[in-house]
Amino acid sequence: MFITDDNGQTWNCQNYWGDEARMAYWYFTAFDDEHPDTVYMVGCLGRNGQKNACIKIMCSTDGGRSWHESQVMESMREFDRVNDLQQYNDRLLIYAESDVYTVSKAELIAQSTAAIRSITSDTPTSPTYDLQGRQVEAPRRGIFIKNGRKVIR
């Protein structure tokens, strides 16, 4: 992550790796919709051909100058690519190859242990979501996501 304060004339590296010996592949960076100094980054740290890759989320509340400890979602895959990062109200939605995850922006900003949850489930009572990641109470016609699969009604 590089930051500039002079319209791109000079750039300063603001990397944060914590105690990780390896770098992560950071796929998406997003400024908070309501707080322009809050920045989120999501990426993946592979495990060199072993199982249990992890998707990482990091948060900065000072425009990217410093970063909070990353939140980690374990994956049983060797490498789990992140396909998209979206904000929906007070949540972040992380679309990965393995699943779709949600996390509270307030928990990330407060630097607390954020509960990272999969929005998919194998239970028959799992929620239904539209393609923008919003939960739908009574889906009528269209394409929806239920149990991690696209459903057409």
Side-chain angles (χ1 to χ4, degrees), residues 16-17 19-20 24 26 41-47 52-59 68-76 80 94 101-103 108 112-118:
Y16 171 84
W17 307 119
D19 59 356
E20 293 287 344
W26 299 108
M41 273 195 322
V42 65
C44 178
L45 178 64
R47 294 291 186 209
N52 296 329
C54 62
I55 296 171
K56 302 185 90 162
I57 305 171
M58 298 194 7
C59 178
H68 301 193
E69 292 276 335
S70 60
Q71 301 297 318
V72 176
M73 295 169 285
E74 293 290 327
S75 172
M76 292 307 294
D80 198 353
I94 299 99
Y101 301 97
T102 181
V103 64
L108 284 173
S112 64
T113 303
I116 301 168
R117 295 182 177 90
S118 166

Side-chain angles (χ1 to χ4, degrees), residues 8-29:
Q9 297 297 315
T10 60
W11 293 86
N12 295 310
C13 183
Q14 303 297 317
N15 285 347
Y16 171 84
W17 307 119
D19 59 356
E20 293 287 344
R22 296 161 284 182
M23 296 188 336
Y25 295 97
W26 299 108
Y27 293 117
F28 292 96
T29 304

Side-chain angles (χ1 to χ4, degrees), residues 3 14 16 37 39 58-68:
I3 193 166
Q14 303 297 317
Y16 171 84
D37 284 338
V39 187
M58 298 194 7
C59 178
S60 170
T61 55
D62 59 7
R65 288 170 180 77
S66 63
W67 293 90
H68 301 193

Side-chain angles (χ1 to χ4, degrees), residues 84-100:
D84 200 3
L85 170 67
Q86 293 182 357
Q87 298 176 61
Y88 181 69
N89 294 331
D90 62 341
R91 313 229 26 107
L92 292 176
L93 298 173
I94 299 99
Y95 296 89
E97 287 181 349
S98 63
D99 211 336
V100 179

